[in-house]
Amino acid sequence: VSNPSSPYETGYYDTPGGAWDVYVSGSYAYVADHDAGLRIYQYYGIGIAEGSSKGLSRIRLLKNPVQESIELLLDIPLEKEVHLCFYNTLGQKIRTYNINKGLKGNLSLPTAGLSNGIYFLKLEGIESGLMKVVVVR
């Protein structure tokens, strides 16, 4: 906190339980998290927001974590072509899936060639900046 008399939120992380207390040392945060116990988080200096609104609420992940493919459900037909882009935790775009206008229903996107880990699925073409976290294992 650069100005203790006027702090402001620059980001957050929603823990699995109810966080009771936190201790920060260097790039690590030690969180007493009620039923989830002691949680240790490391900050890498980057941040990607996960969100949902008009764009991503149209496209739902059916299963997460994923293995051979990402299974999605498109609730309503897409009004225009969109791109679902995969980013790694460093914010580098590693794959783009083009989704055609008018598509509705189940959609399967292959994950072949992706290493196990955490990725961010970003919808581009309807609204920018919206992301979903996807775990590939």
Side-chain angles (χ1 to χ4, degrees):
V1 178
S2 59
N3 184 353
S5 65
S6 183
Y8 61 94
E9 182 179 287
T10 60
Y12 70 93
Y13 184 81
D14 189 13
T15 61
W20 286 37
D21 203 356
V22 64
Y23 172 77
V24 177
S25 177
S27 64
Y28 291 93
Y30 302 85
V31 179
D33 197 37
H34 200 262
D35 293 335
L38 175 65
R39 310 290 291 195
I40 302 171
Y41 299 97
Q42 183 176 14
Y43 177 66
Y44 292 104
I46 60 169
I48 299 176
E50 179 181 22
S52 64
S53 71
K54 184 178 179 183
L56 278 177
S57 64
R58 297 175 188 191
I59 301 174
R60 292 187 292 141
L61 284 168
L62 295 178
K63 198 171 169 188
N64 199 14
V66 301
Q67 290 182 338
E68 291 88 28
S69 63
I70 303 164
E71 302 300 324
L72 303 169
L73 176 64
L74 286 72
D75 290 336
I76 60 173
L78 295 174
E79 298 166 3
K80 63 180 186 174
E81 180 180 72
V82 297
H83 309 287
L84 289 170
C85 300
F86 246 62
Y87 290 84
N88 63 20
T89 56
L90 298 176
Q92 300 164 323
K93 186 187 293 187
I94 57 169
R95 188 171 292 177
T96 299
Y97 301 99
N98 297 319
I99 312 300
N100 294 328
K101 175 183 175 178
L103 192 62
K104 181 182 177 183
N106 290 343
L107 178 64
S108 182
L109 305 174
T111 58
L114 293 176
S115 300
N116 292 350
I118 298 172
Y119 295 89
F120 302 93
L121 185 62
K122 179 180 179 186
L123 178 65
E124 296 178 350
I126 293 176
E127 297 179 30
S128 59
L130 299 174
M131 301 232 184
K132 291 285 186 188
V133 175
V134 176
V135 178
V136 175
R137 59 180 180 139

